[in-house]
Amino acid sequence: MALDQSFVGRSYPPTAPYEVGREKIREFAEAIGDTNPVYVDPEAARALDHPDVIAPPTFVFAITFKAAGEQVIKDPQLGLDFSRVVHGDQKFVYTRPVRAGDRLTVTSTIDSIKSLAGNEVLSVRGEVHDENGEHVVTAHTTLVARATPAQDTPAAAQEAPAAEDAR
Amino acid sequence: MTAKVSYDDVEVGTELPAQEFPVTRATLVRYAGASGDFNPIHWNEKFAKEVGLPDVIAHGMFTMAEAGRVVTDWVGDPAAVVEYGVRFTKPVVVPNDEKGSVIEVTAKVAAKLDDEARTVRVDITATSADQKVLGRSRAVVRLA
């Protein structure tokens, strides 16, 4: 069933602040095998004029996707069948890197809803601000609700975004 | 922001050092924990096959993170990346053995965008098992 176009432009309330910890950044950098000292060593970060260690560019997805998942994907009024949802596109636009000590809130907005070959394509914008209300990064996430099971879809977007969404 | 590459030193076509990133089941379990994405298609073969996938597949965001390393390693300071986007075109299939799979990443400067802001667009190619796994993979980077 086609998603309701009137949801385009809908914004959800800002999330409760997520506090970025040095050790969480370290854990993430190690998980992607990235040994750049700017992620783990405050001295190395300061040498590049950062007040504390910074996070790898894609770190913030865990925060923005949680916001999108809890607010948009599960919005009962929107009625997205999240068992069919896969991750299509992802883009980040940065004002500055996320860094340890940040308290980040996410404001999610539905940018577009399209129907392509029977698939529903939903674009969500997650704007991330720090505790002073300053913009940090915007995440643009495109989710595809497949019309058919995975084996029948073209190769595009066989990536499902979150555990509970695939069950 | 302190990029170690100068805008004046690059031209359209300048290649970034290519890299290969191995990915095993252990890599995926670790990434699941660090990212909070516990979707069973990334660690449970039975589940992956039930939903029509050939085997366990890597997190798309893991592939995006690895592809981005070619850019951040090149510029030194990851804060130089002002924009980064990808399309997930094919999954990285990860078999249950010690070898796993490999993500091969190349990148080159595709455009010099703004002489004043000293920004360039870098186009990234990521393949695994000879298949392109990312499409429209681009970063905008502010150089020194």
Side-chain angles (χ1 to χ4, degrees):
Chain A
M1 194 180 70
L3 295 173
D4 184 349
Q5 287 288 335
S6 73
F7 277 75
V8 175
R10 175 174 290 210
S11 274
Y12 294 79
T15 56
Y18 174 100
E19 187 166 333
V20 179
R22 277 186 189 168
E23 295 305 324
K24 190 64 195 175
I25 292 176
R26 176 196 299 275
E27 182 190 2
F28 186 86
E30 286 177 351
I32 61 169
D34 197 327
T35 57
N36 193 326
V38 76
Y39 301 140
V40 293
D41 177 0
E43 286 302 314
R46 278 192 278 272
L48 295 177
D49 294 329
H50 302 301
D52 205 325
V53 295
I54 63 170
T58 61
F59 173 88
V60 76
F61 181 78
I63 306 166
T64 58
F65 189 69
K66 186 161 184 276
E70 287 173 1
Q71 295 182 309
V72 185
I73 299 174
K74 289 179 186 161
D75 182 342
Q77 289 181 293
L78 179 63
L80 189 66
D81 176 1
F82 48 75
S83 71
R84 297 185 296 128
V85 168
V86 297
H87 198 175
D89 292 65
Q90 183 59 44
K91 181 168 140 185
F92 301 101
V93 180
Y94 305 90
T95 295
R96 67 160 174 86
V98 168
R99 58 186 176 234
D102 274 339
R103 290 172 58 81
L104 303 175
T105 57
V106 184
T107 306
S108 299
T109 302
I110 297 178
D111 267 345
S112 70
I113 295 172
K114 288 175 200 153
S115 222
L116 285 175
N119 297 326
E120 299 285 344
V121 182
L122 177 74
S123 293
V124 181
R125 180 174 86 243
E127 287 173 283
V128 180
H129 291 88
D130 66 15
E131 61 275 30
N132 301 317
E134 301 287 334
H135 179 261
V136 177
V137 54
T138 297
H140 299 270
T141 302
T142 301
L143 302 170
V144 182
R146 296 174 309 219
T148 51
Q151 63 266 30
D152 298 331
T153 35
Q158 291 197 342
E159 168 71 3
E164 55 272 46
D165 299 341
R167 288 193 185 112
Chain B
M1 196 281 296
T2 344
K4 68 184 183 192
V5 179
S6 168
Y7 182 78
D8 300 326
D9 290 345
V10 304
E11 49 196 62
V12 170
T14 297
E15 290 184 13
L16 283 61
Q19 294 193 55
E20 292 188 352
F21 304 100
V23 44
T24 66
R25 293 290 179 87
T27 316
L28 299 185
V29 169
R30 191 169 201 174
Y31 183 80
S35 68
D37 183 344
F38 296 102
N39 189 325
I41 61 173
H42 304 306
W43 51 269
N44 184 332
E45 196 166 311
K46 179 172 169 284
F47 183 92
K49 288 179 174 165
E50 275 170 12
V51 299
L53 295 167
D55 203 336
V56 161
I57 64 169
H59 303 73
M61 289 305 298
F62 175 82
T63 304
M64 185 178 185
E66 299 303 315
R69 283 175 59 193
V70 166
V71 179
T72 55
D73 284 354
W74 178 61
V75 288
D77 186 353
V81 177
V82 294
E83 211 176 292
Y84 178 32
V86 305
R87 166 163 291 179
F88 302 106
T89 51
K90 293 235 182 210
V92 174
V93 178
V94 182
N96 185 22
D97 57 30
E98 305 73 40
K99 233 173 104 228
S101 294
V102 177
I103 302 166
E104 295 171 30
V105 183
T106 61
K108 62 173 193 290
V109 174
K112 293 185 88 167
L113 299 176
D114 186 333
D115 290 348
E116 223 153 272
R118 308 178 81 77
T119 47
V120 299
R121 194 186 91 214
V122 174
D123 285 4
I124 304 163
T125 304
T127 59
S128 184
D130 298 323
Q131 300 250 41
K132 266 197 183 189
V133 292
L134 297 177
R136 294 191 194 177
S137 183
R138 296 169 171 182
V140 175
V141 187
R142 186 176 295 124
L143 300 178

